[in-house]
Amino acid sequence: MLLRSTQGSVAAVSQRAVRPAMGAALLASALGIGCDAPPPVPTPTEIFDPRPGHNFAAPAGEVRIRAITDRTVCFTTDGAMPDIRGGACVGATTRRMSADPRIRLDCAGDTAATSIRGIKLAFDWPSSDGTLVQIVAGNFTLDCTPPALDSDGDGVPNGRDNCPTTANPDQADADMNMIGDACESMGAPDADHDGRPDAADNCPAVWNVNQGDDDRDGVGNVCDPTPRGPVELPWTNGTLARAFVAWKDELQCSLNGCQNPSGPNSWRGPCEHGGTISWDVSLSGLRVISRFTYQSCDNTVTIPVHDYARDPRGVDPMATQMLPIRLLGNGSITQDVDFSGNGVESGSVMLTGAFTGTAVSHIQIRDSARGPGGYFSIACTEGPFAQEMCAPRNLLVNYLFSDWRCEPGGCPMPTDALVDSDGDGVFDNYDNCPSVPNPTQANADFDREGDACDTSTSVTDTDHDGVPDAGDNCPTVANPMQEDADMDGLGDACDATLDPDADHDGVPDARDNCPAVANPTQQDADMDGQGDACDATPTGMAPFALLGIKSGRCLYDDGSDVRSTTTCDRAQPNRQWEVIDRGGNRRAFRNLASMRCLTATNWLGTIDMTACAAGSANQQWTLERSDTDGFDPRYPVRLHSAAFNFCLYTDSTNNVFASQGNCGLAGTENGRKVGIYPGGDFSRTPAQP
């Protein structure tokens, strides 16, 4: 608990539980109350097999439930909170455990290599003060990576195919240069001379024979600024765990002056910004039952959080700042201990305010203090930090006493940092010369080493640009693209009679994306028209829009599905949408947090988030003029599915769906009228139909 001085400031921290004086024991004896104590609640490790945190390394897995199978057990796997009332399982997606206590988990359309799935259990367990419903959660990892891509259907995956765009199951390669004969004979334009025709090359300006594409986004590793996909944001559940513990302790300490009671009693008190907290102490045999109840209890606590202004990448644990966190809670926490102060704490609190989430206590109490083995399970769907995101699918994540670190296996491990030792724009993992700059990855003899660091190349390439001298229009000046503006057979890089070239990089100023800084390869990672060599933000920031609905809501991806919210915060990545023009007035909408696309799943009106596919009509939406009940220039369009005859709709809740032929339906049109606002700036004019 937090102890307050007479001035009301935080003076010290104590992790004490409520411990009545011995007078309470004497009172219990006088009343003749029995001594039977309920068995302790099983831990997640005792309940789940395999243990929480297990990685199935497969697209599906099976979890067996133990230790509680003689109880009524209700469970969910979609992030919703299960409940038991009158012996029945409550909740739209809550199921009752059958006689076969196994729960199957699968990818359900997810395509991530590390995909977290959570199981939440609610079960009845006898307690000294009557039966309580216990909530326990376990999180598990699946590998939902799709099967290896085989673009040409010849039975050889792209990563091992020496000609991934033309079927050649025999992989014939007469000159042993790692490029299949079927590709070399095509004669199509090949700007980087790697044997892959430009039209089918995932890095047409950078040499990459193997066409490696780890994140399967269509951009090869050697020219992809994020070859493993978007950097995953850290989970903000841990910040909520620390905020909730401080919030809870400060409020409880405000009652009875932080003193333990000497016997049964009750206290009530106001919360800082409204609502109440109550503390009721009773006896049950030789057990002391303390129940803390929070009713719309609105309180602010100040905790250390990561300072992303000082440390944007989150790598310095010392970069912190003190920040006030306001939480509003409803629920109760019960401590059940003996007269030595040993026992358990249980219960849950629903939270809103800076966070929207749930905190479930599984604290072990030893000698009137939090003891080893205790933890809080924390889930959230909304958080205040743009640089962090709530765990997907409303997962309950366990945070351990005493430092509230994530339980081992409960949170994804950060991926190894990608390093570019030679600063040539190609990360070491994918660089054929990791210590010597060679941005084009030139490799004239098609071996494992690029020309810039190959001391034993069997083909003469004096300027190391990947084009052998015998066919190089500038054999002594690097010009991998072989530009020849005046078509005189002499490459622009070494042609003195060319148009002005102020930086002498072989590219005339008139078409140089960095005319004052040498950049012969004209690399432009963010494709903003300014070359990387002179671009202060070479990787740029993906343009995005907010999808506002006239009913006062915005669309977002909650990690499992598309939802709507009244908080249209353009700083939240899961509200940011990349609008992709598919032609014919059709658009696709890709969420920048999940990199999945808005999808009309079936004719019944189901709308979901799935992996983006360029040719999928289910992911294409026509921007129709919305005239029902008058045209609104701020919400001028409705999103009409290109696959089914319906329009996207959201009601006054967070549900997003549609029904057949509903595009012109009167009376609910405000739930279909959409404004597409670039950059999330609602002061600008939205996209027009």
Side-chain angles (χ1 to χ4, degrees), residues 496-544:
T497 61
L498 274 177
D499 294 333
D501 179 15
D503 55 10
H504 307 291
D505 61 0
V507 183
D509 293 348
R511 54 187 180 86
D512 193 337
N513 60 17
C514 277
V517 181
N519 61 337
T521 62
Q522 296 287 283
Q523 284 187 303
D524 181 11
D526 57 6
M527 295 182 291
D528 63 355
Q530 188 174 25
D532 295 347
C534 59
D535 191 343
T537 56
T539 58
M541 181 177 180
F544 71 92

Side-chain angles (χ1 to χ4, degrees), residues 100-322:
D100 181 5
R102 289 179 292 183
I103 299 174
R104 180 175 174 80
L105 303 173
D106 58 49
C107 288
D110 198 350
T111 58
T114 302
S115 186
I116 310 295
R117 292 291 185 273
I119 299 174
K120 294 180 183 177
L121 303 176
F123 55 95
D124 59 333
W125 195 268
S127 170
S128 301
D129 61 345
T131 299
L132 292 176
V133 174
Q134 304 292 336
I135 301 292
V136 171
N139 298 330
F140 304 87
T141 302
L142 302 178
D143 182 353
C144 298
T145 308
L149 191 63
D150 179 15
S151 299
D152 55 12
D154 61 2
V156 183
N158 286 1
R160 294 189 290 107
D161 196 336
N162 63 17
C163 188
T165 58
T166 303
N168 62 334
D170 59 4
Q171 297 288 283
D173 182 11
D175 55 7
M176 304 294 288
N177 67 353
M178 298 168 60
I179 301 174
D181 297 341
C183 281
E184 286 191 305
S185 63
M186 292 177 66
D190 179 17
D192 56 7
H193 307 286
D194 62 359
R196 308 298 185 212
D198 292 349
D201 193 337
N202 62 18
C203 280
V206 184
W207 191 94
N208 63 334
V209 168
N210 67 10
Q211 297 286 283
D213 181 11
D214 287 359
D215 59 4
R216 305 185 184 191
D217 64 353
V219 182
N221 295 331
V222 295
C223 60
D224 190 343
T226 55
R228 295 176 181 168
V231 177
E232 289 190 4
L233 298 176
W235 287 356
T236 196
N237 299 53
T239 305
L240 175 55
R242 291 185 289 107
F244 174 73
V245 171
W247 180 89
K248 170 181 177 292
D249 288 348
E250 181 171 315
L251 285 166
Q252 291 176 195
C253 198
S254 69
L255 301 173
N256 197 32
C258 298
Q259 300 300 311
N260 287 319
S262 59
N265 211 330
S266 295
W267 294 266
R268 300 287 186 275
C271 301
E272 181 180 5
H273 304 295
T276 62
I277 174 176
S278 61
W279 180 9
D280 298 292
V281 181
S282 61
L283 298 175
S284 178
L286 295 181
R287 311 295 296 178
V288 182
I289 311 300
S290 291
R291 184 186 296 273
F292 298 90
T293 303
Y294 308 91
Q295 293 182 318
S296 300
C297 182
D298 192 346
N299 194 63
T300 297
V301 296
T302 300
I303 63 169
V305 300
H306 192 82
D307 188 346
Y308 288 98
R310 289 167 50 197
D311 178 33
R313 296 177 58 196
V315 296
D316 180 6
M318 303 304 293
T320 60
Q321 62 174 327
M322 299 303 293

